[in-house]
Amino acid sequence: MFRKILAIVSLAALLSSPAFGFDTLWHADANQKVADAFGFNSYARDIMQLGNFAPDFFGPVAEYAAGHLPKPLEIMNQEGLNNLQVRQFAIFLHFDNLNSELDSNSKFDHIFNQLLHTTQSLLANYNKQHDLDERTRKILVLVTLGASLHVVQDFYSHSDWVHNDFDKTAAKMVRLPSGDYRAPTWFEFRDKAHDPDRWPFQVKTGIYPPVPGVLNTHTHMNHDNSRLIYKEYEEPGQPLQSQAPYHTLGPVPASEQDAGAVLKHQQLAVNSAIAASIEWVKKVEENGGAKSAIDSAKNWDLGKDSSKLTKELEAGMAVEMALSCAAGRWDGENPPLDKDAACRSVLASRIDPTGKGSLSGWKAKVVAAIAGLGLPVALNYTGRFWSIYGQYSILDQLASGIGSNAGHYTFSNK
């Protein structure tokens, strides 16, 4: 028990590594919208969400742990976490400007198109692999789709896409039923503007690892949390500070003096990522084999099929939320009060009566799972949903044609 509690504390420390996408709350909200749009049941949605978390968990988390804190790798599932190849390729699934190599719009276009082709091929091929049992097949379909969605969503978090004045272009801003706006997606803009290298702007994403004295770093450019408050990883030892001064362009500029403007700017990125996520699944389903695979998995009644896997899924969701909260990656390290109350409940492994009323849907379900399991117990049940990545090379296959095990992007096929 002591070792497992120690593991949680250690994981909280290592999770402060900066190379994350949207904080977990916003990825999960986008995935919820996908699930609603395509009729996924709650089991399929949650499995897809674990897949969505994988590029963060196996990328910056495992990579940092391997060099600093090996003990958590022994306690969590070694088969998945100790797979060097998984870690090497997870770094390419965030749209970060690694080694300053994303220097043209056509390179971004290559990543989008290569990822789409690979996602379609993987999903279609799962249905053709006769050595897979049905449970494994469905898990592979859902976690692969979820991981691909993580990459798409990160583009809108890590880039300056929403800093462009799209109303001056052929692809206008889109007004939502809520009254908010979203930017056109990459593919919507491409359909109207055609050759990416002839666009009136060049897209930028944050340089990672961040470089001191440079403006366009991962820390400065990302829209990961609703307050746009981050650690300055470029300058170790600096306190949390607002990155709003780096987000003052576009139709919904942020202002350090206006919390409402900051939230609206971040929500523009979230709304754009949600639309892109729904569009992404539509594009994946243009491949008949991929659509068939998704259809076969999206209404899987896991509760009736396997009580063991159901418990593992609950535990996986519990651990995901707990680690995100411990690291300040649920909705930032200075979250709004309602998000902070939810995290306090999670980390205490109980439901806080003052926070319970503000939770609904999958969030309340996850908090309840943690309260029932307790974090140390939950660590015992997460094996299947983590080990599958190393066993079936999901993340490195998704990164095929995008990055190499030498740590550099590959654009030879564009």
Side-chain angles (χ1 to χ4, degrees), residues 137-201:
R137 189 191 316 277
K138 289 170 182 173
I139 293 173
L140 284 170
V141 168
L142 293 169
V143 299
T144 300
L145 181 62
S148 74
L149 283 166
H150 182 104
V151 191
V152 173
Q153 292 157 9
D154 272 8
F155 172 77
Y156 299 90
S157 178
H158 291 178
S159 76
D160 63 353
W161 186 258
V162 299
H163 294 182
N164 292 297
D165 190 352
F166 287 105
D167 282 343
K168 293 181 180 179
T169 73
K172 312 297 183 186
M173 296 287 290
V174 178
R175 190 176 185 89
L176 302 172
S178 64
D180 293 332
Y181 286 89
R182 71 166 176 86
T185 69
W186 178 275
F187 289 104
E188 287 172 341
F189 194 86
R190 197 188 194 290
D191 285 345
K192 296 194 174 182
H194 308 298
D195 182 359
D197 283 337
R198 295 178 179 238
W199 291 357
F201 54 82

Side-chain angles (χ1 to χ4, degrees), residues 105-120:
N105 291 343
S106 59
K107 289 183 177 180
F108 288 96
D109 197 52
H110 167 75
I111 293 175
F112 272 118
N113 285 292
Q114 181 65 36
L115 181 69
L116 178 60
H117 171 74
T118 303
T119 302
Q120 290 174 327

